Amino acid sequence: MEVDPRFAEFVAQRGDALLRYGYVLAGNPHDAADLVQEALLKLRGAWPRLRSKENPESYARTTMARLHIAAWRRRRRELLAWDLPESEHHDPLPSGDERRMWQALAGLPRKQRAVLVLRYYEQLDDAEIAAVLGISRGTVRSQASRALGKLRDAVPAEPMTRGPMTRGNVR
């Protein structure tokens, strides 16, 4: 397939500006280059339909923004580390009560388990959980209430002899 000379001219003239825009979006040159490359591939496929349009750069910028948002959504909770840890990390095996808690959590219906994980592990509020799961905020609250009830039944409460909780807030 032959490259339209107008497309090649557009890339030659506006490629650096698109790369700068990608850098502003992504915050690093590697992701910026990926955004530009993916956007130009999409623009190349759509070029016959855009020939009569005055501003193909707006198509490319919109595509880059959408690609960036899609990538951000996929990894929004992921933290990248440049350095490898100096030693291996192994979580300690759970005690009897903790093991029962994990088993009880694994035994919950999927929606209830997802609500609890999003609320207490990811620390999302009800509106965010509702948006992620595609359910109403009332359903989030009722599923959380049912799930917590099942966990209370499965793992009896122990007296507060330990210090205050160190991870997350209980709602």
Side-chain angles (χ1 to χ4, degrees):
M1 184 190 251
E2 213 173 290
V3 176
D4 186 328
R6 290 176 287 188
F7 177 76
E9 182 181 324
F10 167 74
V11 172
Q13 288 178 351
R14 302 305 303 159
D16 289 340
L18 291 173
L19 191 58
R20 286 190 299 273
Y21 177 68
Y23 184 83
V24 170
L25 278 177
N28 69 67
H30 308 292
D31 289 341
D34 289 345
L35 284 174
V36 171
Q37 184 176 12
E38 288 182 52
L40 288 177
L41 283 172
K42 290 184 182 290
L43 179 62
R44 171 70 174 94
W47 191 258
R49 295 186 310 269
L50 295 175
R51 271 191 278 209
S52 64
K53 298 210 176 174
E54 301 270 333
N55 191 4
E57 188 170 355
S58 67
Y59 179 93
R61 287 176 181 260
T62 300
T63 302
M64 289 171 64
R66 289 179 179 162
L67 289 168
H68 175 66
I69 289 169
W72 175 80
R73 284 180 178 155
R74 282 191 302 270
R75 64 179 182 208
R76 75 177 190 201
R77 300 280 180 202
E78 179 181 337
L79 297 174
L80 300 178
W82 291 104
D83 299 322
L84 295 175
E86 292 181 18
S87 63
E88 292 184 32
H89 173 76
H90 297 285
D91 288 329
L93 293 174
S95 67
D97 286 342
E98 290 173 341
R99 190 175 306 117
R100 281 194 300 275
M101 178 65 79
W102 283 108
Q103 288 170 343
L105 185 63
L108 291 175
R110 289 181 183 176
K111 192 181 293 184
Q112 290 178 7
R113 187 172 57 238
V115 166
L116 291 185
V117 168
L118 291 171
R119 179 180 278 178
Y120 296 109
Y121 188 76
E122 294 292 327
Q123 298 181 350
L124 300 181
D125 63 27
D126 289 349
E128 292 170 318
I129 295 168
V132 168
L133 297 178
I135 58 178
S136 72
R137 289 174 23 189
T139 302
V140 169
R141 289 189 291 273
S142 68
Q143 292 293 313
S145 176
R146 288 185 187 123
L148 290 173
K150 288 180 182 180
L151 291 180
R152 279 187 206 101
D153 292 342
V155 181
E158 62 182 60
M160 290 293 287
T161 57
R162 297 184 199 171
M165 291 183 60
T166 57
R167 178 165 173 101
N169 296 329
V170 177
R171 296 179 193 182

